[in-house]
Structure formats: structure tokens, C-alpha cells
Amino acid sequence: MSRATTTTGWDSAATIDDVLDRMDTIASTLPTDDGVAVFNRMYRQVTRLVRSAIEEGEFGAGPFLERLDVHFANLFFAAHAADLAGAPVPVAWAPLFEQRDRTGTHPVQFALAGMNAHISHDLPCAVVLACRELGVEAQDDTPEHVDFSTTNAVLEQAQEEIKTWFSSGVVARLDDLGGRLDDGLATFGIHLARAAAWEVSQVLWALSDNPRTDGLFRTNLGRGVAMTSRGILL
């Protein structure tokens, strides 16, 4: 199937509603079996649940989670816009965008590769952006850190619904055999990845006064994340 290959420009999302609208636009322009579309669909569901949790007052650090969510999504949108414009996408995203049409790849592999790029690479960058905007620091045991960790509960809420999108064929049979063990491992993996992302954000924060070292660290972070994604997509 074909997909759009040109773009008329790109503006950053400013609110979570903007984020969801942008995700709807991406979904409307891509075939459903496109690897980027698979990730976008999953990401939209998680974002919808985060918005609901914010509206229900489940977070205590003021606007931090909303601003984090917006900065976080804009990094994915920037990669998507670069691809549309025919420009190189960030290294961490390259495996997913390069292999999005690869036959024989299970949809869950696309979803996991996107999660890897977004959580392991983009999330720490988004934490730094949100903290700078709000004048706070990425420190442990702060209200911002508590809200960051509380988001894990939202991911658990989304897990069962999202899993059904991929539960077919071999995946379904493995799930029947493994019971809920694989579910627990999947959630635990996400928790670990997000905890690591918070720690990486602290490194980035500490490097903010040393542009050269910061640039080297970010470059190698992207390369390492890309290597993992290529393994996921094999």
C-alpha cells in the first residue's frame, strides 16, 4: 500500500488534545498494517488514558504530566514529519521507519520497536524539556518523579486492551500456555525501561552545561536504542 510522501509543514502540538488530533491524522494517512501506524495506534490509546487520568486529578505535580506528555509526543511527531519530508529520522527511530513495510514482521514487533525508541530515547529528552519549561529539576522523590512513576498504573490499564490487538496466531497460543506470566513480564519490562529513562534524564540534566559531552551522550544513546530496535524487528 502507498503512504503520503510529502508534507506541507509541521507545528508542534501544544496540548494533549492536539496530540490526539495529530495521532488521528497520522492514522488516517497510513495503511493499518504499516509499522508506524501500528505504533501510533497503541500510543494513541495510552495517551487517551493519560489524558483521562489527568482530568480525574490522579496526578499531584500540577501541569508536569501534561507538559511531559506533549513534549514526549512531539518527539515522535518530529520523526514522522522528517520521514514525510524525505529527511533522515532520528537514529533511534530509524529501524522502525526503515522496516515499517517489511513482510513477515508481526505487528507486536513494530509496536515494541516504537516503544523502545520512544521510551528509551525520547522519554528522558522529554523529561528534561518539561522540567526546563516548568523550572523544576528531574530529581528523585519529588512530586514530578511521583507522577512520572504513577503513570505506570495507566500503562497497566492499557495493557489488556492493547494486547488483544496482537493476540492472534502464535501470540495467542503462547499467551494461553503462559497464562498471565507474559503479561507480568511485559509490564515489568516497561517499568524498568521507564525507570531507566528517568535516570537518563538526570544524566542529561547534569550535562546541560557541557554541550559537547551532552551531544556525544545523546548520539550514543540513539545508536544503542537503534541497535535494540533492530534486534526486536529481526
Side-chain angles (χ1 to χ4, degrees), residues 65 68 123 127 144-152 194 198:
L65 241 296
L68 174 61
L123 185 53
V127 169
E144 291 75 26
H145 184 216
V146 171
D147 281 0
F148 180 91
S149 301
T150 300
T151 309
N152 289 334
R194 297 189 79 255
W198 180 266

Side-chain angles (χ1 to χ4, degrees), residues 167-218:
S167 293
S168 60
V170 173
V171 174
R173 290 194 292 274
L174 287 175
D175 191 60
D176 289 340
L177 290 171
R180 297 190 61 82
L181 177 60
D182 58 328
D183 300 346
L185 289 174
T187 300
F188 185 64
I190 293 172
H191 287 194
L192 279 179
R194 297 189 79 255
W198 180 266
E199 293 176 353
V200 172
S201 76
Q202 294 177 314
V203 174
L204 292 174
W205 188 269
L207 293 176
S208 59
D209 292 330
N210 192 329
R212 183 175 184 277
T213 305
D214 178 81
L216 290 171
F217 181 84
R218 289 174 186 263

Side-chain angles (χ1 to χ4, degrees), residues 75-106:
L75 292 169
F76 166 55
F77 297 151
H80 178 259
D83 180 69
L84 285 178
V89 302
V91 171
W93 282 103
L96 177 61
F97 280 87
E98 290 171 359
Q99 301 186 47
R100 62 197 296 175
D101 298 325
R102 180 180 173 186
T103 59
T105 303
H106 194 284

